[in-house]
Amino acid sequence: MKNILVPVGSSKNAQSHLQYAIDFASEFDAKVYVVQIYNVYTKAGTMIKVDHILERESQSFLDGHVASVDKKGVEVITRVFKGKLIDTLELACKALDIDLIVLEPRTNSIKDEVYLGKTSGKIVKQTQIPALIVPENYSFKPIESILMAVKSAIIKKDNALNPLLSIRSRFNSTLNLLLVKTPFYNEGDFDIDDALKSSVSDTKITENATTFQGLLEHKISFDPGLICVVRRQRGFFTKLWEDNTILKKDFHSSTLPVLVLRGLK
């Protein structure tokens, strides 16, 4: 894991969030790209050109934002991009060879019932980039135990597990696998890939209506420091994120980071 991207919004948690990302990156000797994306919606008859103004203000904001944290020797690079959020973000991640996006759950939502706001939810749902969702005001600490919860262990995409295995290797974490048998279970879903099997310390099978319900039932017994889930093209998490915003009653982790892998199939 060499390149980590941190999208910056306007939340009150932005400073502590960036500090977590830098602390996390320092464990991997990774670079941190701090980015802000803006778009300009022109109005008929408008003659004022605002592109350069927004770009300058965004860059100034990012420079001040980075100056407010302890970089701990990590190379932190700021970038300002213009365009639509998802398209621009994916192009930036490809150009910068990004391994992981570190996200805030809510960038500007003030609703207590919201876990992922529209921006974070949209990034997780609409991109194929692995994401680490860090709770608000959460301080970095070594990850001693990981709980991965999936309804299918089938892995067909190369390198899909790289972020998970990289974290496990760096912290020498215990990796526990929770296989959740939902009403959508298919024969062979619990056939574990060799790469994953060799890294797992304990495997448990449970039967629940959703992956999240399985997590709720067994999280305490595993006592993880990180939860790992999978965003598939079709499935539980995709349904949750149809409207981008995700409510706490449907899925949330207010005390633990959540690693969201891109679809494994």
Side-chain angles (χ1 to χ4, degrees):
M1 197 177 304
K2 294 301 179 185
N3 298 302
I4 294 171
L5 185 138
V6 183
V8 174
S10 56
S11 79
K12 296 179 180 179
N13 182 53
Q15 183 175 344
S16 64
H17 178 71
L18 178 57
Q19 189 64 63
Y20 179 96
I22 289 173
D23 293 348
F24 181 86
S26 69
E27 296 288 333
F28 297 88
D29 294 324
K31 294 179 183 177
V32 172
Y33 289 89
V34 184
V35 305
Q36 192 165 65
I37 298 171
Y38 73 93
N39 204 352
V40 178
Y41 298 94
T42 58
K43 187 177 180 180
T46 301
M47 300 298 292
I48 301 174
K49 188 174 179 61
V50 297
D51 277 26
H52 67 287
I53 298 174
L54 291 176
E55 183 177 3
R56 186 178 67 240
E57 289 181 348
S58 293
Q59 187 62 58
S60 176
F61 172 79
L62 289 184
D63 292 342
H65 186 47
V66 170
S68 71
V69 298
D70 181 359
K71 293 190 281 294
K72 297 189 173 181
V74 172
E75 185 176 358
V76 181
I77 302 165
T78 59
R79 292 283 189 273
V80 175
F81 298 103
K82 174 190 172 184
K84 294 181 178 179
L85 176 65
I86 299 303
D87 293 342
T88 306
L89 196 59
E90 288 194 319
L91 287 172
C93 286
K94 186 175 182 180
L96 301 174
D97 195 22
I98 297 299
D99 300 299
L100 183 71
I101 295 181
V102 179
L103 290 174
E104 295 182 72
R106 303 184 298 178
T107 54
N108 53 19
S109 174
I110 59 174
K111 296 180 180 178
D112 288 338
E113 68 270 20
V114 170
Y115 169 56
L116 285 191
K118 287 185 178 180
T119 301
S120 299
K122 187 180 291 187
I123 291 171
V124 171
K125 182 200 171 192
Q126 297 183 22
T127 71
Q128 287 296 314
I129 308 159
L132 181 64
I133 305 168
V134 181
E136 296 173 13
N137 298 311
Y138 190 83
S139 298
F140 173 80
K141 52 189 172 185
I143 299 167
E144 297 180 356
S145 176
I146 304 169
L147 175 58
M148 182 181 188
V150 295
K151 66 178 184 180
S152 174
I154 297 173
I155 302 169
K156 293 183 179 178
K157 288 189 177 180
D158 293 338
N159 305 322
L161 292 173
N162 277 8
L164 171 66
L165 299 181
S166 180
I167 291 172
R168 177 195 171 277
S169 175
R170 177 63 189 89
F171 298 108
N172 195 26
S173 313
T174 299
L175 174 58
N176 297 304
L177 180 62
L178 182 65
L179 300 173
V180 184
K181 189 174 183 179
T182 72
F184 303 99
Y185 173 80
N186 294 310
E187 192 67 32
D189 276 348
F190 292 172
D191 294 341
I192 305 173
D193 178 87
D194 288 342
L196 181 58
K197 183 185 293 185
S198 64
S199 301
V200 169
S201 300
D202 185 26
T203 300
K204 188 179 187 67
I205 298 176
T206 182
E207 192 165 340
N208 297 91
T210 66
T211 309
F212 181 49
Q213 287 184 14
L215 270 172
L216 288 178
E217 183 178 331
H218 297 283
K219 186 175 72 172
I220 293 178
S221 62
F222 283 107
D223 191 26
L226 173 72
I227 293 171
C228 178
V229 295
V230 175
R231 188 197 73 79
R232 300 185 185 276
Q233 291 297 328
R234 297 179 63 186
F236 172 65
F237 290 106
T238 301
K239 290 178 182 178
L240 273 185
W241 294 326
E242 283 176 352
D243 298 321
N244 297 321
T245 299
I246 300 176
L247 301 181
K248 289 181 178 179
K249 69 180 181 65
D250 295 319
F251 179 85
H252 79 281
S253 177
S254 59
T255 58
L256 294 174
V258 177
L259 175 64
V260 183
L261 300 180
R262 63 191 178 97
L264 304 186
K265 293 185 180 181

